[in-house]
Amino acid sequence: MIGVYVHHRGRGHLHRAIPVMGALRERGLDVTMLISGQFDDALLPPGTRVVHLPSGIDDEEDAEELTLSARRAAVAWMDHARPRAFWVDSSPAMSLAARMTGIPMVSTLPPGVREDEPHLLRVRAAERLIGAWPPGAHQATLRRTENPVAEIGGVSRFERRVREARHRRRPRVVHLNGSGSGGDHRFWRAVRSTARELGVADWLEVGGPDGEWHADPWPELCSADVVVTGGGQSSVADAACADVPLVVVPGRRPYGEQDATAGALDSIPAVSVLRYGDGPTAVGHAVRRQLERARDGETGGIRAWWGVDGAAARAAEVIRGATTARFGS
């Protein structure tokens, strides 16, 4: 049996974990997911069990922190269940808690360069490290990592979904906003205003304070000529599945993970990377340029560039490899 911890902030970690857990189940492995906070069990692959940990965080300023009670509950579960391996996506605190039990621990490595001690300890403690990006995308990250990293590509929950037929003639922009009501809504209102002035008539907000949240935005992504997204790894991988030009505006994060992902995307054809500091007018003009690219049929092949196809299966093989390394096949 494989244990999986899914980090509690946002939905990106969960969206990445679900297809990997499905790939583990396809390989005949039992899977138990540990998660804090509310969760719809119907989202899981059939046969996957769930353990609900105490929710909340010890430090509101540090989104990676977990309550002591959550860590205790996870260690108690590991001590009782004795999984053959434990995949952490992605928390230094949970990685170290798992390592204390002696169970082979696999950790998802965040992009970017980090020097904080919890991260460095997590990297050294892992039996295996997974990089959810295409090979070569984050050389600076790898140079600061002592252990080998399996660069498996961007993992998307939409990898196996069939692209839906489009029934529109007017070009559409789809903006993947957050699942909550936060974010810089004034900035994005100004972006949409600029885009309208430039002739962009069909702009669909998914989530955020001005849009409707879609738990399954695949139909909306299939309707897009251009996708606008932040630099979260799951959002980028989901957008890449649509295989249309992208505009990426990374969000502000304490360790710069989204900036690092945006930097890796900057050299890919049909991806425009801007920062909030560039201003909404610049973003609106970038959207317009990408629509012109889409009109000319230049998708840029972002799906192939980002290595989405087969990524979940490759991650599952890394996790399964941790079990055979310790226990034998």
Side-chain angles (χ1 to χ4, degrees):
M1 185 262 288
I2 305 296
V4 176
Y5 170 72
V6 178
H7 197 45
H8 56 283
R9 279 300 182 94
R11 297 173 184 261
H13 294 286
L14 176 63
H15 291 163
R16 174 162 60 197
I18 287 173
V20 176
M21 289 188 288
L24 289 167
R25 291 286 299 148
E26 290 172 356
R27 284 155 176 76
L29 295 165
D30 292 331
V31 178
T32 298
M33 183 183 76
L34 282 65
I35 191 169
S36 59
Q38 297 181 345
F39 173 72
D40 182 1
D41 292 4
L43 295 174
L44 286 178
T48 304
R49 294 182 290 273
V50 180
V51 173
H52 293 277
L53 302 175
S55 60
I57 60 175
D58 284 333
D59 183 355
E60 291 291 342
E61 298 300 319
D62 190 345
E64 292 189 341
E65 276 301 317
L66 292 164
T67 59
L68 182 57
S69 59
R71 280 175 274 183
R72 284 174 171 166
V75 169
W77 177 84
M78 284 182 262
D79 185 53
H80 174 74
R82 304 306 297 176
R84 292 172 62 85
F86 193 78
W87 173 40
V88 180
D89 189 292
S90 159
S91 160
M94 188 59 76
S95 296
L96 295 173
R99 182 66 182 86
M100 287 193 310
T101 68
I103 294 166
M105 184 270 292
V106 180
S107 183
T108 306
L109 187 67
V113 177
R114 290 180 55 168
E115 303 289 353
D116 56 296
E117 194 62 22
H119 167 74
L120 297 176
L121 287 171
R122 172 254 301 272
V123 169
R124 290 196 291 267
E127 190 86 18
R128 299 281 193 278
L129 290 168
I130 291 174
W133 54 72
H138 289 289
Q139 293 294 337
T141 303
L142 301 186
R143 285 193 294 270
R144 302 294 183 95
T145 305
E146 298 174 4
N147 298 335
V149 179
E151 301 172 282
I152 50 95
V155 180
S156 172
R157 54 188 164 145
F158 301 133
E159 176 193 343
R160 297 187 179 182
R161 296 282 289 273
V162 177
R163 187 174 182 87
E164 299 182 8
R166 296 169 54 181
H167 303 290
R168 298 175 303 95
R169 294 184 177 180
R170 188 167 63 177
R172 166 175 282 184
V173 175
V174 173
H175 179 203
L176 294 180
N177 213 329
S179 58
S181 58
D184 195 340
H185 59 277
R186 289 188 295 272
F187 181 92
W188 288 107
R189 287 170 185 166
V191 171
R192 294 196 298 274
S193 177
T194 298
R196 282 194 300 270
E197 292 171 1
L198 295 171
V200 180
D202 192 346
W203 181 299
L204 177 64
E205 286 281 303
V206 177
D210 296 329
E212 180 182 354
W213 172 250
H214 296 262
D216 176 11
W218 182 239
E220 286 70 34
L221 284 171
C222 290
S223 74
D225 295 276
V226 170
V227 175
V228 180
T229 182
Q233 288 185 294
S234 290
S235 295
V236 167
D238 288 349
C241 274
D243 213 19
V244 297
L246 306 183
V247 175
V248 178
V249 183
R252 304 176 182 92
R253 295 295 183 271
Y255 297 106
E257 301 96 332
Q258 292 205 12
D259 275 316
T261 297
L265 290 161
D266 207 9
S267 62
I268 297 178
V271 179
S272 290
V273 173
L274 293 95
R275 266 68 179 185
Y276 278 94
D278 294 320
T281 299
V283 175
H285 278 272
V287 170
R288 178 60 192 174
R289 288 193 297 272
Q290 293 295 64
L291 272 177
E292 292 171 356
R293 184 189 292 269
R295 181 192 60 194
D296 295 337
E298 301 178 27
T299 66
I302 177 64
R303 181 170 181 145
W305 274 85
W306 207 241
V308 171
D309 293 301
R314 290 188 287 271
E317 286 299 321
V318 174
I319 298 165
R320 184 166 70 167
T323 71
T324 57
R326 181 63 64 88
F327 300 104
S329 57

